Amino acid sequence: MELKKLISILESHKNQKNIDGMAHFGIKSDKALGITTTTIKELAKEIGTDHQLALELWDTEIHEARWLAPLIADKKQINDGMLDKWVHDLNSWDICDNLMTKYARFSPNTFALIEKWQASEEEFVRRAAFALIAFVAVHFKKHDDKELLHFFDMIIAHAGDERNMVKKAVNWALRGLGKRSLFLREKALFAANAILDKYKDSKSARWISYDAIRELNSEKIIARLHDKEAKKATKS
């Protein structure tokens, strides 16, 4: 499909009511069409894999085009350089998280990307790092928990970042790691308290810590982790 034709199709689905509502969810709407993710996914299924079109879509800067691009890009042609470029183009949390889900966690250099992006001062680049940590906590099942411990240092280092899109991702990463195992739950709670000690005057740090502590101390999470450990012990 040609870019011009696809843009025409996207514009035919424009929904002003949805555009107006995007701000409520913290999504920039100045270059948005208000198309639902269901419609975008249907279009992706219809198009299939088209890497060149994905690149062209991304460069339009249209919000929904950037949602669609990772869905039709060729995984075999995605490399760290391309990911890094796209991450530095980000200006919306939903596109950021979609990109991390679809491609970044499959990179052979995922940990290196996290290390690089967390050090950036750009809001959505740093968000990408912590969103990726959250995905790693869930999907990197073959990695030993101890291989993920260094992420807590990053979480503590940036828990004082008051920017909304960063603090939410830092909290997400902290909770994600803590819900992976009883071992990491203990480390996450330790990190949460370390954050409170380090950032006594930071609203973001207090929210990140108390929200994580509340969830990780819930009976539901503790019971699930004990059950998970019991099942693991049975298998071994």
Side-chain angles (χ1 to χ4, degrees):
M1 185 180 296
E2 293 184 354
L3 177 65
K4 187 177 180 179
K5 180 179 179 181
L6 182 53
I7 295 301
S8 179
I9 292 172
L10 288 172
E11 289 177 341
S12 72
H13 290 283
K14 184 175 179 179
N15 186 313
Q16 188 60 48
K17 183 178 179 180
N18 289 345
I19 295 173
D20 295 340
M22 290 170 76
H24 177 72
F25 297 99
I27 300 172
K28 291 187 67 174
S29 59
D30 56 321
K31 292 186 178 181
L33 298 172
I35 305 172
T36 65
T37 54
T38 299
T39 299
I40 294 172
K41 289 176 181 178
E42 288 173 352
L43 280 171
K45 187 175 181 181
E46 180 182 336
I47 296 166
T49 300
D50 191 329
H51 195 71
Q52 181 57 39
L53 182 58
L55 297 176
E56 294 172 1
L57 277 171
W58 187 271
D59 288 341
T60 66
E61 299 184 10
I62 298 170
H63 183 270
E64 288 77 9
R66 287 189 167 178
W67 236 103
L68 179 57
L71 302 182
I72 65 171
D74 184 357
K75 288 183 180 180
K76 294 179 181 179
Q77 296 187 61
I78 295 286
N79 55 49
D80 291 349
M82 179 180 167
L83 278 173
D84 195 53
K85 177 194 177 299
W86 280 12
V87 164
H88 280 83
D89 287 340
L90 291 169
N91 65 356
S92 177
W93 65 265
D94 58 327
I95 296 173
C96 171
D97 298 353
N98 180 47
L99 185 58
M100 295 304 101
T101 305
K102 297 301 177 186
Y103 290 102
R105 67 184 175 90
F106 296 110
S107 167
N109 304 306
T110 297
F111 285 14
L113 290 175
I114 290 172
E115 181 68 42
K116 179 180 181 179
W117 294 340
Q118 63 87 30
S120 173
E121 291 299 325
E122 295 182 46
E123 182 174 11
F124 288 98
V125 177
R126 185 170 288 173
R127 180 189 172 87
F130 289 100
L132 192 46
I133 291 173
F135 287 122
V136 164
V138 174
H139 297 287
F140 278 40
K141 299 182 185 300
K142 294 182 180 180
H143 285 67
D144 189 274
D145 285 349
K146 292 181 180 179
E147 295 180 67
L148 311 186
L149 288 176
H150 65 292
F151 292 140
F152 289 117
D153 292 334
M154 298 178 193
I155 288 169
I156 294 171
H158 296 299
D161 193 322
E162 300 290 337
R163 292 174 294 182
N164 195 45
M165 296 305 162
V166 176
K167 78 172 186 180
K168 287 187 174 181
V170 171
N171 169 265
W172 183 14
L174 180 58
R175 290 184 295 107
L177 289 168
K179 291 187 288 185
R180 180 182 168 100
S181 68
L182 288 170
F183 170 73
L184 286 178
R185 173 183 172 273
E186 179 183 346
K187 300 300 181 183
L189 289 171
F190 181 86
N193 283 291
I195 289 168
L196 291 173
D197 288 337
K198 182 175 180 178
Y199 303 99
K200 299 185 185 300
D201 298 321
S202 170
K203 291 182 179 180
S204 288
R206 288 198 299 274
W207 178 79
I208 288 168
S209 297
Y210 287 130
D211 185 70
I213 290 169
R214 175 191 57 77
E215 182 169 10
L216 296 178
N217 277 333
S218 70
E219 293 182 3
K220 181 180 178 180
I221 294 298
I222 294 172
R224 183 176 66 78
L225 291 176
H226 276 290
D227 184 58
K228 185 178 179 180
E229 293 291 326
K231 289 179 179 178
K232 186 186 296 184
T234 301
K235 289 182 180 179
S236 59

